[in-house]
Amino acid sequence: MAADSTMALSLVEEFVSGLQDSKAKDAAKGVKDGKFTVLQLVEALGSSLTSSQPHTRARGVLLLSEVLQECYRELTEREVEVLIAFYENRLKDHYVVTPPVLKGLKELTKCTNLPPGSAVSMLRSVFQDIHVQSLMLSERACVYSMLINIMETREAELKGLGADFVFGFVQSMDGERDPRNLLLAFQIAKNLIHRGYELGKFTEELFEVTSCYFPIDFSPPPNDPHGITREELVQALRAVLTGTPNFAEFLLPLLIEKLDSDVQSAKLDSLQTLVFQTSSERIESAGLAALTALTSCLSRSVLSSDSEDSLSTFLDFILTDCKHHLCEPDLKLVWPSAKLLQAACSASTSASHIITAAVMPSLLEQYNNRAQCSHRRTLLEVVQRFIHSVKNCQSSDNDESVFLAFRESLCGVVFSALSENNSSLQITATSVLTSLAQQAGLLLESDIELALDHLTRLLLIEEDDRVSLAVAECAGALAQLHPALVISKLIPRLKNEMYTEPMNQDQGEASELHSHHAVRQRCLSALAAVSIQPSVVQESTPVLLEVLRSAHTGDVSFSVDEVVLTCRSLQRIAEQVQDTEEAGRCFHNIIIPHLLSLALQAALQGEGSSGTPSPLVEEVVLSAMVPVISTSCSRLQPTLAGQTASRAVSLFLDGDVSFLPDNSFPSHMQLLKKQEGDSWSLSRLVCLLMGSVCSLPRGVEVPQIDKLLSALEEMSCTCSHPLSYTSAAKCFAGLVNKKPQGDSLDSLIQRTVKRVCSELDSPSSSVHTQAFTLMIWVSKALLLRYHPLFTTLTDKLFSLLDDAGLGPMAAADGFSLLMSDSTDVLNRACHADVRIMYRQRFFSENKAKLVQGFNAAPQEKKPNYLKALSNIVNKLPKQVQVTELPALLSLLLEALSGPDQDIHLTTLSCLEPVLVNPPQVLIQQLEALVNRLLALLCSPAMSVRIASLSCISALSYFPVHEVLPFRARVLRALAKPLDDKKRLVRREAVQARAQWFLLGSPGGR
């Protein structure tokens, strides 16, 4: 011990008298290594601290402060208490000693074990003994940092001071000029406001001491090493000034005063401050609404008066203040001014006439005189907002448009913008064109024709996806208003372009082929976008059907991707077309028969040909046809729906092709049975039958349903083609779901269950997978409608979790299908019988079976139960997960320990919402949870690594005293994913490490 004291004395002597600054690090190392304590170092400093020379005392205090900078985390509460008393006493010393004293106090405020009352004691000493603004820049920064640290860790104690703390801060900040310190001071002021500190009678003083910097006038020097910008200061100050309604009575007069300033930046800052953040957005919205209401009131008074002076005078005031901002070179105040004018414009027709007559010529002239595309886009956006405002105030569509006098100029501006090469300008122009077209009686037929020419040109040459989307939306809007022109001008040109093939296709470059594919894709999207009116649909759908026919016959070369896109365009048309009998007949008589005919021709051709197969035999194409048919049938009127069902059933059961466009098909086709030579080539068309009969409204009767169900059951259990037996099982389930309750349904289910169980229980059966697929889909059909026999299938499904014959995890994956939404069958869009909260009911009735089965299963079968549980819980609503997961936590933690990556991912996605508000049982299992999450950081699956990092990040929000012991271990483990080869993993790791690094630190949580 004597040797340690000697070492401390030696270090003190060398630092204080020898002026060797490096000895401070040696002293800190000595404290960290336990060679001597901080209090022993204070004793060794005795002669230095009692020296009659102020600079010697300052060096002594500086050494102690330097050591505290390195060792404040190792201090005990008793040591902190003694050191605070020492430093508070030193504040009364010579001014030379003050800087190191403040540095030491700043380090002590970082301690997590500050004694109760010590924070208040330190601040009182600083406020009483120090005049902050007389200090140097770095010392003032120390004071501000002290306040920030204490506000983060001892908020309750500071609030106990009441308004005295605010007064002390106001005195400390008053007169601050350095931008670095201002950022700190603004942060403290923001904390005072947003964290509910009592401002009391010093509200105005706090406003005055901060608002004196408004507007910020700061230009950073060149090569500024600190990187502080004017925008940072503006945002920090704005957050203070707009942070509390208590400042409103002081702030609004200040903003009004600055709005009259001749300095442009002051005006801009004032307007932006007025509309800043959510609270001020409400002020802006309320102000604009008040302006609209006032203008509307004055407009009504005009109608009942002989004079229009009141309205005209009021609008003259607004125009005088705002109109000139629309013409300024930099357009800085164009939006605030435009909002005010548009608010008044939307109040009444008379107001819109006055304002548009005054504003539109100036805006249009400005557009034509501007060279920069960004300025032109801004002006176009302002014009569009005016058009929208006028639309809101029109009493009827028969009113003459207030823009009629500017029609020619507006069209010229829009068409000019569409001809530019700037994407943003083109997109804005399409929005303005849409708004103009919606103004009744404004655009002439020649204007619409010219607009369609511009839109067509952009569709064919513009490769920017954003422009293509905007053009398609604009064309769709024009098609609703002017269907005849779209039919005559747009559709023929799109058709011709789609049927144009690239020159020298065999030798064509890949880029040329890709470009041509992109053009076709844009044309297909545009055809879908304009097909809303039934008259347009009758012209556009034949074009799309012709694409499918040409792809099948090979007359024109279309890729499989283009055929799929064509089907998706037909699906979009079926979804959006107006629900009229005319549209229904188009789908019933033309589209559905043509799709069935083409698919059947392709299947027959593929069966008997060894040449190049038709793209229509591809499963991806058939799968794309299904939603076209199902969406169409789901929207048919009852009479047409019944006829469609009768046609589809007669085709698949009896081979009746009389309704198909090309009925030169073989007679007596058996589409639901095995063909000659053990072929199931035609059976895949059963997916189209599913689309035809499973999406019909529940009131529509399906003919020959018993025979149809028998044939579908047979195909499901005997067919070897995956798409065929899966589609047959789906179709069977869709019909069972809608079949009326009764003995017929019960006997059908019992017969099916008996057959399925017989196949599954037979070790020699070759159709295990087919039987299991049928069982799962029938189970889902019964689950959705709460049928009592569903429990029989549930028990069988649980028993299959121990069955190795189906392959690993097959039965467990079946639970995911049960709980998931199906896109092509058994959903509400297909009019399926879906009861509310069926997932919750299934979970509550079967969770005990899962737990019991897991406990009784041999070790090698336990992963099956874990995956089943994970699949079920993952599909539950988040609110139910939060409630139910605590009881299943031990099983979920077990699931994270297995080798299956799919189980890991689904389990992590279940756990993440629970970690936001962790229950007590989860906190009790924290050790096990942390261990498993850290182990998953090395998972081969990127998605698992990302999900585990997200959960680890969420753990940092647990109560600090619970997770702080894990901090060091977690930070070490997070070092590896920081170097992960995947960017998304690295990004998640950085976020997680930042959260854990701040844990328990000053300024952190």
Side-chain angles (χ1 to χ4, degrees):
M1 185 61 68
D4 293 341
S5 299
T6 302
M7 178 182 178
L9 286 169
S10 173
L11 291 171
V12 167
E13 180 67 22
E14 290 173 345
F15 182 89
V16 175
S17 301
L19 301 179
Q20 299 183 36
D21 291 345
S22 62
K23 296 302 176 182
K25 291 186 177 180
D26 296 338
K29 187 174 184 301
V31 173
K32 285 184 176 180
D33 295 342
K35 295 179 180 178
F36 49 84
T37 66
V38 170
L39 295 183
Q40 288 173 334
L41 179 63
V42 174
E43 292 177 4
L45 284 167
S47 60
S48 301
L49 298 177
T50 57
S51 171
S52 60
Q53 298 297 320
H55 289 283
T56 301
R57 299 198 299 274
R59 288 289 292 179
V61 176
L62 179 61
L63 173 61
L64 181 58
S65 299
E66 295 274 1
V67 171
L68 290 181
Q69 186 176 0
E70 301 290 332
C71 306
Y72 68 87
R73 292 185 181 86
E74 284 80 18
L75 297 178
T76 65
E77 184 174 329
R78 173 58 183 162
E79 289 174 330
V80 173
E81 185 177 7
V82 172
L83 289 169
I84 289 175
F86 165 75
Y87 275 111
E88 288 177 355
N89 182 267
R90 292 293 95 187
L91 282 174
K92 299 179 175 63
D93 203 340
H94 193 275
Y95 70 88
V96 175
V97 184
T98 301
V101 171
L102 291 175
K103 182 176 182 179
L105 284 174
K106 184 187 77 171
E107 301 306 325
L108 289 175
T109 59
K110 298 178 183 178
C111 296
T112 57
N113 53 354
L114 282 176
S118 58
V120 172
S121 174
M122 278 191 285
L123 289 184
R124 287 190 186 277
S125 298
V126 170
F127 291 156
Q128 291 173 4
D129 298 330
I130 300 295
H131 182 252
V132 175
Q133 288 305 312
S134 66
L135 300 173
M136 300 295 289
L137 184 152
S138 58
E139 284 81 63
R140 301 199 304 274
C142 275
V143 175
Y144 297 137
S145 298
M146 285 175 57
L147 296 181
I148 292 173
N149 293 341
I150 296 176
M151 292 177 83
E152 296 292 340
T153 59
R154 291 294 184 270
E155 183 174 293
E157 290 184 27
L158 295 186
K159 288 182 177 179
L161 284 173
D164 289 345
F165 175 53
V166 178
F167 178 67
F169 166 68
V170 168
Q171 284 188 317
S172 302
M173 180 186 174
D174 192 10
E176 181 61 63
R177 297 187 60 84
D178 185 81
R180 289 163 287 179
N181 285 343
L182 280 176
L183 283 177
L184 297 175
F186 290 156
Q187 181 181 345
I188 297 168
K190 179 182 174 182
N191 290 345
L192 287 173
I193 294 168
H194 288 269
R195 297 184 183 180
Y197 284 81
E198 180 187 349
L199 304 183
K201 59 185 179 181
F202 300 113
T203 300
E204 185 173 1
E205 282 74 6
L206 180 60
F207 176 80
E208 291 295 338
V209 82
T210 52
S211 65
C212 66
Y213 300 99
F214 182 86
I216 295 289
D217 182 17
F218 170 68
S219 298
N223 303 321
D224 180 19
H226 307 291
I228 296 177
T229 64
R230 178 181 180 276
E231 186 61 26
E232 284 182 287
L233 292 167
V234 168
Q235 295 291 345
L237 177 58
R238 192 176 291 161
V240 175
L241 298 181
T242 62
T244 173
N246 296 331
F247 282 172
E249 60 178 309
F250 314 118
L251 178 60
L252 289 177
L254 174 65
L255 295 179
I256 292 172
E257 175 190 344
K258 299 301 181 183
L259 282 172
D260 290 332
S261 171
D262 294 332
V263 181
Q264 196 78 352
S265 61
K267 287 185 177 183
L268 185 61
D269 281 353
S270 299
L271 285 169
Q272 290 176 341
T273 302
L274 185 62
V275 297
F276 180 66
Q277 290 189 338
T278 306
S279 60
S280 295
E281 286 174 7
R282 291 198 296 269
I283 296 174
E284 179 196 10
S285 178
L288 294 175
L291 178 59
T292 302
L294 183 57
T295 308
S296 178
C297 180
L298 293 173
S299 300
R300 288 194 299 271
S301 69
V302 169
L303 296 178
S304 60
S305 170
D306 295 333
S307 171
E308 295 189 2
D309 286 346
S310 55
L311 177 62
S312 298
T313 303
F314 179 68
L315 293 179
D316 283 343
F317 281 128
I318 300 175
L319 288 167
T320 301
D321 283 342
C322 299
K323 181 181 174 182
H324 64 280
H325 291 307
L326 305 179
C327 307
E328 291 169 349
D330 51 8
L331 297 178
K332 282 187 176 180
L333 297 179
V334 65
W335 276 117
S337 302
K339 286 182 180 179
L340 293 170
L341 291 169
Q342 289 153 9
C345 191
S346 64
S348 67
T349 304
S350 54
S352 65
H353 274 283
I354 294 172
I355 291 178
T356 53
V359 169
M360 291 307 298
S362 175
L363 287 174
L364 296 173
E365 181 183 0
Q366 283 290 305
Y367 179 89
N368 292 321
N369 292 336
R370 298 280 179 165
Q372 290 188 27
C373 288
S374 59
H375 288 171
R376 287 188 162 195
R377 185 184 71 248
T378 300
L379 291 166
L380 266 185
E381 289 170 350
V382 172
V383 168
Q384 184 193 4
R385 291 283 293 269
F386 272 109
I387 298 172
H388 183 72
S389 300
V390 170
K391 181 183 176 183
N392 291 339
C393 73
Q394 285 182 320
S395 57
S396 71
D397 289 340
N398 296 324
D399 289 347
E400 183 180 282
S401 174
V402 300
F403 296 103
L404 195 57
F406 312 107
R407 179 193 62 80
E408 189 173 343
S409 298
L410 284 169
C411 289
V413 163
V414 171
F415 297 151
S416 170
L418 290 174
S419 302
E420 295 281 354
N421 292 324
N422 184 276
S423 299
S424 299
L425 189 57
Q426 291 170 337
I427 292 170
T428 305
T430 59
S431 300
V432 177
L433 178 57
T434 301
S435 300
L436 290 175
Q438 292 169 347
Q439 289 280 313
L442 177 59
L443 298 185
L444 302 178
E445 183 174 319
S446 58
D447 298 328
I448 301 298
E449 290 180 350
L450 185 55
L452 289 172
D453 288 339
H454 279 285
L455 296 180
T456 306
R457 178 183 56 81
L458 288 175
L459 278 173
L460 300 182
I461 66 171
E462 184 55 57
E463 297 182 356
D464 191 318
D465 291 339
R466 298 175 302 140
V467 176
S468 301
L469 180 61
V471 168
E473 290 177 354
C474 182
L478 294 178
Q480 292 190 65
L481 300 166
H482 306 279
L485 291 176
V486 169
I487 291 172
S488 61
K489 295 284 294 183
L490 181 66
I491 292 178
R493 290 191 61 183
L494 296 181
K495 177 180 178 181
N496 291 337
E497 190 64 32
M498 283 193 295
Y499 282 93
T500 302
E501 297 197 62
M503 299 179 62
N504 299 325
Q505 186 171 346
D506 294 337
Q507 292 85 26
E509 296 183 359
S511 59
E512 182 183 353
L513 295 175
H514 174 76
S515 176
H516 190 67
H517 171 72
V519 171
R520 282 180 170 176
Q521 180 178 351
R522 294 195 295 270
C523 291
L524 290 169
S525 298
L527 278 175
V530 301
S531 301
I532 299 175
Q533 295 276 16
S535 59
V536 179
V537 171
Q538 290 180 345
E539 299 297 328
S540 64
T541 50
V543 176
L544 297 173
L545 292 174
E546 183 63 22
V547 170
L548 298 179
R549 190 199 65 78
S550 299
H552 165 62
T553 60
D555 294 342
V556 180
S557 176
F558 288 96
S559 67
V560 172
D561 289 340
E562 290 167 348
V563 174
V564 171
L565 287 172
T566 304
C567 293
R568 289 177 181 168
S569 294
L570 285 169
Q571 179 190 352
R572 182 179 171 187
I573 294 172
E575 292 170 347
Q576 70 188 16
V577 66
Q578 292 177 357
D579 196 2
T580 64
E581 184 175 353
E582 182 184 3
R585 290 196 177 278
C586 178
F587 280 91
H588 171 70
N589 294 327
I590 300 175
I591 298 174
I592 296 175
H594 273 81
L595 289 177
L596 293 173
S597 176
L598 289 170
L600 184 56
Q601 290 177 40
L604 290 171
Q605 175 183 309
E607 186 180 37
S609 173
S610 58
T612 303
S614 166
L616 271 61
V617 301
E618 298 287 342
E619 290 187 8
V620 65
V621 175
L622 287 174
S623 299
M625 285 185 179
V626 172
V628 180
I629 296 176
S630 63
T631 304
S632 306
C633 292
S634 68
R635 301 188 64 189
L636 289 177
Q637 290 76 18
T639 304
L640 294 178
Q643 294 174 10
T644 298
S646 177
R647 287 176 172 182
V649 172
S650 63
L651 171 64
F652 280 87
L653 284 182
D654 307 324
D656 181 9
V657 296
S658 59
F659 71 97
L660 298 181
D662 182 2
N663 57 10
S664 59
F665 296 104
S667 58
H668 308 297
M669 288 186 301
Q670 300 292 321
L671 299 182
L672 298 182
K673 293 184 179 179
K674 185 183 298 186
Q675 312 302 313
E676 294 181 4
D678 198 32
S679 170
W680 288 95
S681 60
L682 298 180
S683 65
R684 69 183 69 184
L685 299 183
V686 72
C687 64
L688 304 182
L689 171 66
M690 175 189 70
S692 302
V693 299
C694 291
S695 57
L696 298 171
R698 265 181 267 173
V700 176
E701 182 178 351
V702 178
Q704 304 183 70
I705 188 168
D706 293 332
K707 182 180 178 181
L708 179 61
L709 287 169
S710 178
L712 289 170
E713 179 186 330
E714 182 66 23
M715 175 182 278
S716 302
C717 293
T718 57
C719 180
S720 58
H721 188 269
L723 176 64
S724 301
Y725 69 70
T726 302
S727 298
K730 288 182 179 182
C731 190
F732 184 90
L735 294 172
V736 166
N737 175 264
K738 295 180 185 178
K739 191 173 175 62
Q741 194 82 13
D743 295 338
S744 174
L745 175 63
D746 293 344
S747 61
L748 171 67
I749 295 172
Q750 290 168 355
R751 185 186 76 231
T752 304
V753 170
K754 182 178 179 181
R755 177 171 186 176
V756 166
C757 292
S758 173
E759 296 289 354
L760 291 172
D761 294 339
S762 172
S764 60
S765 174
S766 60
V767 290
H768 272 177
T769 302
Q770 291 90 323
F772 178 73
T773 301
L774 178 60
M775 187 193 79
I776 282 293
W777 281 103
V778 173
S779 300
K780 186 174 181 66
L782 301 181
L783 167 64
L784 295 179
R785 62 182 289 177
Y786 291 170
H787 194 281
L789 291 177
F790 169 69
T791 55
T792 304
L793 290 167
T794 304
D795 294 339
K796 181 62 180 176
L797 184 56
F798 277 110
S799 70
L800 291 175
L801 288 171
D802 295 324
D803 188 353
L806 287 173
M809 299 291 179
D813 289 333
F815 285 96
S816 178
L817 190 150
L818 278 183
M819 302 293 284
S820 301
D821 290 323
S822 175
T823 57
D824 50 4
V825 72
L826 294 178
N827 56 58
R828 288 186 172 88
C830 293
H831 306 288
D833 187 357
V834 181
R835 305 296 175 88
I836 61 172
M837 296 191 296
Y838 72 90
R839 294 183 178 90
Q840 292 91 313
R841 178 172 177 171
F842 175 79
F843 176 73
S844 62
E845 291 177 354
N846 294 285
K847 62 181 178 181
K849 296 179 184 178
L850 267 175
V851 175
Q852 293 169 5
F854 173 82
N855 293 330
Q859 189 62 37
E860 65 273 11
K861 300 295 183 183
K862 287 184 183 293
N864 296 348
Y865 286 89
L866 291 175
K867 186 166 189 179
L869 173 65
S870 183
N871 286 334
I872 294 171
V873 174
N874 191 45
K875 301 300 181 182
L876 291 174
K878 298 301 182 185
Q879 300 90 334
V880 180
Q881 289 182 358
V882 172
T883 305
E884 298 289 348
L885 279 188
L888 303 171
L889 185 60
S890 59
L891 289 183
L892 293 175
L893 291 177
E894 184 76 20
L896 293 177
S897 304
D900 193 293
Q901 295 170 10
D902 291 335
I903 296 180
H904 294 163
L905 188 59
T906 53
T907 305
L908 290 170
S909 63
C910 295
L911 281 173
E912 192 169 355
V914 184
L915 298 179
V916 176
N917 293 302
Q920 187 60 36
V921 65
L922 187 59
I923 295 177
Q924 293 171 355
Q925 297 276 355
L926 195 55
E927 176 79 30
L929 180 59
V930 170
N931 290 338
R932 284 162 175 77
L933 291 176
L934 294 182
L936 291 178
L937 295 179
C938 301
S939 171
M942 180 185 75
S943 54
V944 173
R945 300 199 299 276
I946 291 175
S948 60
L949 284 167
S950 181
C951 289
I952 289 171
S953 182
L955 289 180
S956 68
Y957 290 90
F958 278 33
V960 174
H961 66 280
E962 297 286 356
V963 294
L964 195 57
F966 301 99
R967 180 175 181 270
R969 177 148 54 106
V970 171
L971 289 175
R972 285 196 301 271
L974 289 175
K976 184 174 181 180
L978 288 175
D979 291 328
D980 197 279
K981 60 184 179 180
K982 296 295 184 180
R983 180 182 60 84
L984 295 177
V985 177
R986 296 196 301 271
R987 184 177 68 182
E988 198 70 37
V990 168
Q991 294 175 353
R993 191 173 186 274
Q995 299 295 341
W996 277 87
F997 187 81
L998 291 174
L999 195 68
S1001 302
R1005 287 183 301 279

